[in-house]
Amino acid sequence: MSGQIALGLPVAAVLFAIGLAGVLVRRNVVVVLMSIEVMLNAGGLAFVTAGARWGLPDGQVAMLFVLAVAAAEVSVGLALVLRVRDAFDTLDTDEVSRMRG
Amino acid sequence: MIAAFYAAAAVAVLSTLLMVTRPSVVHALLYLIVSLLGTAVMFLALGAPFLAALEVIIYAGAVMVLFVFVVMMLNLGPSSSHADWLSPRAWAGPALLAAVLGIELLWILASAGPPSEGVRAIAPARVAESLFGTYLIAVELGSMLLAAGILGAYHLGRRETGRARR
């Protein structure tokens, strides 16, 4: 097994962990969304690495679906961010955690 | 080629770390774009040239432009004066990391040939055959998801006429 395949999954795990830390630690909603993007990307990297390991295109197909999901998620998420900004006048996730009507 | 993968992985991890730790949203966005470009180079080294191109076009292109638009519409904070975020300190880091990735890309393209021992490049044609053969129903579901995303974004992003806008 060649080097990049052996290293691909650890790199994906590290990127996912950094993205998770960003989601948990940062309080700006936009940065939280960006961290989710990093996590999706790390998952896709794991798919592509596994696909390269077996020499099959299925991993790349899975990454294409990850791309589609990420695009849909970002469009809805950013629209929600605009609404949160309008309604609460802040982007701080702690401020928005009350969820009263 | 393995060295290219190592370097791209190092750039991606470093820029992602910097992205999470930047206080300014715009600076974090710059580092996120570099992180996605690093992932694209990793895809190239893993024998997925089609996905490397799509990663740059869709992720680092379209999705990040969406982020830039929203950051622009949000008009964040008092600290976003031009003098502040056009300073070299803001763009030198991402530019340096992106230059490293660009040199790697040129090096990979110059040393044309099979990606590396043990890794076979999977041609776009094989990906397309699998995508529109085995996974055809998933493609249809993906198109429905994107349509739902468009409708949801339109519905949520519409301004209420009664509410006073700042």
Side-chain angles (χ1 to χ4, degrees):
Chain A
M1 190 159 49
S2 72
Q4 53 256 55
I5 291 177
L7 198 71
L9 288 181
V11 169
V14 167
L15 285 178
F16 190 91
I18 297 173
L20 185 62
V23 170
L24 295 177
V25 171
R26 293 301 298 260
R27 292 192 303 178
N28 189 315
V29 186
V30 180
V31 180
V32 168
L33 269 179
M34 284 158 57
S35 302
I36 292 175
E37 290 302 304
V38 169
M39 289 164 71
L40 281 170
N41 202 39
L45 178 62
F47 269 123
V48 173
T49 307
R53 166 69 181 83
W54 300 108
L56 292 174
D58 301 55
Q60 299 193 31
V61 172
M63 180 63 199
L64 280 173
F65 293 134
V66 170
L67 276 177
V69 169
E73 173 254 334
V74 150
S75 59
V76 175
L78 287 176
L80 277 172
V81 167
L82 289 178
R83 288 306 287 258
V84 163
R85 168 69 182 236
D86 272 356
F88 293 89
D89 229 359
T90 179
L91 287 178
D92 194 326
T93 47
D94 287 350
E95 296 290 321
V96 192
S97 65
R98 292 187 301 274
M99 288 298 279
R100 290 187 301 237
Chain B
M1 204 62 154
I2 291 178
F5 183 87
Y6 286 160
V11 167
V13 169
L14 182 65
S15 61
T16 311
L17 268 177
L18 285 167
M19 179 218 105
V20 171
T21 52
R22 286 311 93 176
S24 159
V25 175
V26 179
H27 299 172
L29 199 53
L30 288 176
Y31 280 111
L32 177 57
I33 292 172
V34 175
S35 165
L36 295 174
L37 293 178
T39 315
V41 175
M42 274 193 272
F43 285 165
L44 199 58
L46 280 170
F50 180 55
L51 271 188
L54 277 187
E55 176 93 4
V56 173
I57 293 170
I58 297 180
Y59 244 129
V63 172
M64 291 303 116
V65 163
L66 209 57
F67 269 103
V68 170
F69 263 125
V70 168
V71 167
M72 191 182 72
M73 284 173 75
L74 290 173
N75 197 13
L76 291 170
S79 66
S80 61
S81 67
H82 277 279
D84 185 19
W85 66 268
L86 284 183
S87 70
R89 206 169 51 83
W91 53 258
L96 183 68
L97 291 173
V100 170
L101 288 175
I103 290 169
E104 267 184 62
L105 189 61
L106 287 179
W107 182 60
I108 290 176
L109 292 178
S111 67
S116 128
E117 68 285 356
V119 173
R120 292 186 304 261
I122 297 172
R126 279 188 68 200
V127 180
E129 278 170 11
S130 179
L131 187 65
F132 293 111
T134 318
Y135 296 100
L136 186 58
I137 294 182
V139 171
E140 296 295 331
L141 286 174
S143 68
M144 284 185 214
L145 175 71
L146 285 175
I150 290 174
L151 286 178
Y154 174 70
H155 176 70
L156 288 171
R158 204 174 37 177
R159 300 237 177 277
E160 290 174 25
T161 47
R163 186 189 296 271
R165 175 88 184 108
R166 330 170 353 103

